[in-house]
């Protein structure tokens, strides 16, 4: 089964921060897990490059908007390998192929009769590049997201007949309770719809920095429609000489933050319906990362967790693990350097790293580096019995932090197993040789299974360990707890998560 997953695209008018890293990593964990199932996965990320804020910033610097977009897009693109993110393509909304397909799709929306010309007057946030409706505006006419003053704006626009989709959207929500996840976000989106939909602007007249409206060249498309369509357009040209659209569309998952819920759960499905295109299966909405003090991160409060600092000090796998482990995916959560250190030391180094190094070291010390080819402990095997189907089910619902918790329970169980079996005592008793064989074979197998399952979270460390075990295969088909140790030769393991100076 083809599986298509996307992050939101990052607005180029900023610099990469922890929020971007968080979303890209979570999406990557799901993509890597799905590749372990059977490999037919497409994972898209990219940058959103049009709109007034980019044009304004470029003007302030005295440069062309394209120049600004080129420079900033590069920073986001360069972030992905640093995070170990395995996206299949990086879309830029200034790609000519994207622009051409945006025009095609929205021309169809126009031809289908879902547009009209009118005058829009409303409260506009320049940072969101969005008009706000009455019930979202904060006291004092402030943007609910940026808490900056909104301006009253009037202009000639092409409108999209969102109101025409009131009933069909209500029906989508009635029939697909997993269209938006988690449930609290589903309810939020649905109540936005049932409170009554108003038509929305589809174009801007005086802005040049955007995709030209093909039936009215004085207008460019409102940046949000151009941006949303990236999920669809990318499939047309991501792989040179191939059109992947029929194979991968509709998307299985859009992973987004809660600040852009309305666009993805109301406007986006309506535009797709207006263009006669099938809807994505799920929109998963994650929460915000807050400073350790529980407040929004800001330089002035000194509570910013800098992803580059974590990468520098602890490495890619540690950042990935920390973010997936410390914040429940779908909820807001606090993050900070102390918590990174604590998770690194107690869980990566002590729980997993130590289990791995003890196991490998004992196989060298007691069995000359060969995993005994004897039956494994059926009692330990039983602890792993339900794990794989449970993980599949959780990953199908993008429950990445719950899935990690289930894996971690097994890591801890194995550490207790080492203490219970005390191989160092068995090694002193010649009559216990068989028991020692079984213990070592079971531990090697448990470490192997855990590493296959945890590899989407900590890909480099897990792969290193699997290579040392002589079992590099990542497929979930091979993640069942094997009945025998297998007789493989193990290599020497350097510490996976070294003690820090
Ligand atoms: Zn705003």
């Amino acid at each position: 089964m083809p599986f298509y997953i996307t992050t939101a695209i990052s607005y180029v008018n900023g610099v990469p921060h922890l929020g971007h890293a968080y979303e890209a990593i979570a999406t990557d964990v799901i993509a890597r897990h799905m590749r372990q199932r059977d490999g037919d996965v497409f994972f898209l990320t990219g940058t959103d490059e049009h709109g007034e804020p980019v044009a304004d910033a470029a003007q302030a610097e005295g440069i062309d908007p394209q120049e600004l977009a080129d420079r900033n897009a590069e920073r986001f693109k360069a972030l992905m390998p640093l995070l170990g993110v395995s996206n299949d393509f990086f879309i830029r909304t200034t790609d000519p192929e994207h622009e051409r397909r945006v025009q095609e799709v929205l021309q169809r929306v126009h031809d289908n009769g879902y547009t009209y010309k009118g005058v829009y007057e409303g409260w506009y946030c320049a940072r969101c590049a969005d008009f706000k409706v009455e019930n979202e505006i904060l006291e004092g006419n402030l943007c609910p997201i940026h808490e900056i003053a909104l301006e009253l704006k009037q202009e000639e626009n092409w409108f999209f007949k969102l109101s025409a989709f009131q009933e069909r959207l209500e029906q989508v929500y009635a029939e697909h309770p997993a269209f938006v996840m988690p449930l609290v976000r589903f309810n939020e989106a649905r109540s936005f719809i049932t409170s009554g939909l108003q038509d929305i602007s589809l174009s801007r007249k005086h802005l040049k920095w955007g995709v030209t409206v093909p039936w009215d060249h004085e207008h460019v498309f409102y940046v949000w429609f151009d941006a949303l369509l990236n999920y669809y357009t990318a499939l047309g040209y991501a792989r040179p000489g191939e059109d992947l659209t029929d194979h991968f569309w509709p998307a299985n998952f859009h992973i987004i933050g809660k600040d852009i819920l309305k666009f993805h759960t109301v406007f986006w499905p309506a535009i797709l319906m207006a263009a006669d295109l099938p809807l994505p299966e799920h929109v998963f909405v994650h929460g915000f990362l807050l400073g350790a003090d529980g407040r929004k991160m800001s330089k002035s409060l000194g509570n910013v967790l800098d992803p580059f600092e974590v990468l520098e000090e602890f490495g890619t796998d540690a950042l990935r693990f920390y973010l997936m482990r410390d914040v429940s995916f779908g909820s807001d959560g606090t993050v900070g350097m102390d918590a990174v250190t604590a998770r690194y030391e107690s869980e990566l180094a002590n729980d997993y790293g130590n289990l791995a190094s003890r196991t490998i070291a004992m196989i060298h010390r007691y069995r000359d580096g060969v995993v005994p080819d004897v039956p494994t402990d059926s009692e330990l095997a039983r602890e792993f019995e339900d794990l794989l189907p449970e993980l599949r089910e959780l990953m199908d619902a993008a429950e990445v932090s719950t899935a990690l918790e289930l894996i971690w329970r097994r890591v801890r169980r194995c550490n207790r197993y080492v203490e219970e079996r005390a191989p160092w005592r068995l090694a002193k008793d010649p009559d216990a040789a068989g028991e020692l064989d079984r213990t070592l074979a079971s531990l090697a197998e448990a470490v192997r299974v855990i590493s296959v399952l945890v590899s989407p979270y900590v890909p480099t460390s897990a792969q290193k360990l699997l290579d040392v075990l002589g079992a590099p295969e990542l497929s979930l088909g091979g993640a069942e707890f094997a009945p025998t140790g297998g007789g493989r030769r193990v290599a020497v393991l350097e510490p996976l998560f070294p003690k820090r100076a």
Side-chain angles (χ1 to χ4, degrees):
M1 284 277 283
F3 181 85
Y4 179 31
I5 189 166
T6 69
T7 67
I9 51 176
S10 305
Y11 204 54
V12 280
N13 211 18
V15 288
H17 57 65
L18 192 67
H20 299 111
Y22 180 55
E23 185 171 298
I25 289 168
T27 308
D28 187 61
V29 167
I30 300 167
R32 284 179 185 268
H33 169 88
M34 292 298 172
R35 284 195 201 104
Q36 287 184 291
R37 290 194 188 179
D38 63 10
D40 197 11
V41 171
F42 199 82
F43 169 15
L44 179 71
T45 189
T47 40
D48 175 8
E49 307 187 3
H50 288 128
E52 200 163 8
V54 173
D56 289 349
Q59 197 181 19
E61 280 193 52
I63 58 173
D64 191 68
Q66 185 69 57
E67 197 179 327
L68 181 97
D70 287 347
R71 188 184 66 202
N72 289 2
E74 224 26 72
R75 294 182 188 161
F76 285 95
K77 203 170 180 177
L79 179 66
M80 298 307 149
L82 293 179
L83 301 172
V85 164
S86 62
N87 54 300
D88 294 288
F89 188 60
F90 189 96
I91 188 172
R92 298 184 52 190
T93 57
T94 52
D95 292 341
E97 299 91 335
H98 165 76
E99 297 186 7
R100 199 164 56 239
R101 290 195 100 202
V102 166
Q103 289 179 324
E104 271 170 30
V105 174
L106 294 176
Q107 179 71 53
R108 200 149 72 229
V109 171
H110 179 66
D111 294 344
N112 285 346
Y114 293 115
T115 65
Y116 61 92
K117 205 177 219 176
V119 173
Y120 190 91
E121 188 184 77
W123 293 100
Y124 181 82
C125 171
R127 296 260 299 276
C128 291
D130 182 26
F131 285 98
K132 301 290 161 184
V133 297
E134 217 53 60
N135 61 9
E136 328 173 74
I137 296 172
L138 296 185
E139 244 183 62
N141 264 322
L142 302 181
C143 167
I145 291 155
H146 297 104
E147 300 180 21
I148 57 171
L150 300 171
E151 330 159 36
L152 190 64
K153 269 202 167 184
Q154 196 185 56
E155 63 173 32
E156 183 194 88
N157 280 178
W158 280 94
F159 279 79
F160 170 57
K161 286 186 192 168
L162 181 63
S163 60
F165 293 89
Q166 178 82 39
E167 270 178 37
R168 286 176 67 185
L169 281 171
E170 285 178 10
Q171 199 183 341
V172 167
Y173 279 75
E175 288 170 4
H176 303 280
F179 178 56
V180 178
M181 304 191 291
L183 185 62
V184 57
R185 301 299 164 207
F186 177 92
N187 290 335
E188 189 181 331
R190 189 164 60 171
S191 76
F192 186 87
I193 294 164
T194 52
S195 71
L197 296 175
Q198 298 166 19
D199 295 342
I200 49 174
S201 296
L202 181 66
S203 77
R204 304 287 310 279
K205 190 171 181 182
H206 299 290
L207 192 62
K208 295 272 175 294
W209 185 236
V211 178
T212 306
V213 173
W215 64 88
D216 183 347
H217 288 196
E218 285 191 313
H219 287 248
V220 297
F221 286 114
Y222 177 36
V223 63
W224 266 104
F225 290 103
D226 162 11
L228 285 164
L229 277 162
N230 92 87
Y231 303 130
Y232 178 77
T233 64
L235 295 175
Y237 67 98
R239 219 171 270 164
E242 259 185 281
D243 189 335
L244 303 173
T245 313
D246 288 343
H247 188 65
F248 283 112
W249 192 262
N252 300 80
F253 270 103
H254 295 314
I255 306 292
I256 63 161
K258 63 183 185 177
D259 50 334
I260 52 177
L261 173 107
K262 184 179 66 179
F263 297 95
H264 283 81
T265 62
V266 185
F267 301 176
W268 178 227
I271 278 284
L272 288 169
M273 289 192 278
D276 306 316
L277 293 171
L279 305 191
E281 200 178 346
H282 308 291
V283 178
F284 188 97
V285 186
H286 63 77
F288 285 158
L289 301 181
L290 306 169
D293 53 4
R295 298 168 73 178
K296 196 172 168 176
M297 283 189 222
S298 87
K299 284 215 175 79
S300 59
L301 289 173
N303 63 353
V304 174
L305 180 64
D306 177 2
F308 298 100
E309 210 181 308
V310 179
L311 289 171
E312 176 94 354
E313 203 166 323
F314 295 90
T316 301
D317 281 359
L319 175 67
R320 295 171 63 97
F321 177 81
Y322 171 71
L323 291 174
M324 297 301 100
R325 182 82 173 128
D326 218 35
V327 178
S328 172
F329 196 53
S331 308
D332 291 349
T334 60
V335 294
M337 211 50 162
D338 290 346
V340 176
T341 307
R343 291 280 184 188
Y344 181 87
E345 287 174 356
S346 72
E347 298 193 331
L348 284 179
N350 282 354
D351 291 348
Y352 182 46
N354 207 19
L355 173 67
S357 57
R358 288 207 281 183
T359 300
I360 302 290
M362 289 189 294
I363 291 167
H364 282 293
R365 190 175 313 135
Y366 303 131
R367 291 298 178 261
D368 289 328
V370 176
V371 180
D373 194 12
V374 299
T376 49
D377 190 333
S378 58
E379 220 169 293
L380 189 64
R382 209 168 307 129
E383 308 264 0
F384 285 80
E385 218 168 53
D386 301 325
L387 183 55
L388 196 50
E390 281 171 2
L391 286 183
R392 284 172 180 270
E393 204 172 302
L394 288 168
M395 287 299 202
D396 284 339
E399 299 269 9
V400 290
S401 27
T402 314
L404 183 52
E405 167 59 22
L406 290 195
I407 299 168
W408 222 253
R409 279 186 209 159
R410 272 60 177 199
V411 173
R412 292 190 170 138
R413 175 66 193 97
C414 289
N415 276 316
R416 287 199 306 276
Y417 184 78
V418 175
E419 299 305 321
E420 288 162 15
R421 305 294 298 171
W424 47 91
R425 270 207 299 275
L426 298 175
K428 286 180 190 150
D429 178 1
D431 291 341
E435 228 180 301
L436 180 58
D437 278 342
R438 189 161 64 109
T439 300
L440 295 178
S442 305
L443 278 171
E445 180 58 8
V447 169
R448 185 190 71 81
V449 171
I450 285 167
S451 299
V452 171
L453 299 180
V454 86
S455 68
Y457 299 86
V458 288
T460 309
S461 314
Q463 188 65 66
K464 203 189 280 178
L465 182 47
L466 288 168
D467 289 345
V468 164
L469 284 168
E473 184 54 46
L474 284 179
S475 161
L476 288 187
E480 303 282 354
F481 203 101
T484 61
R488 287 186 310 270
R489 178 162 286 284
V490 301
V492 174
L493 179 67
E494 301 295 329
L496 291 174
F497 307 101
K499 284 251 184 301
R500 295 173 325 114

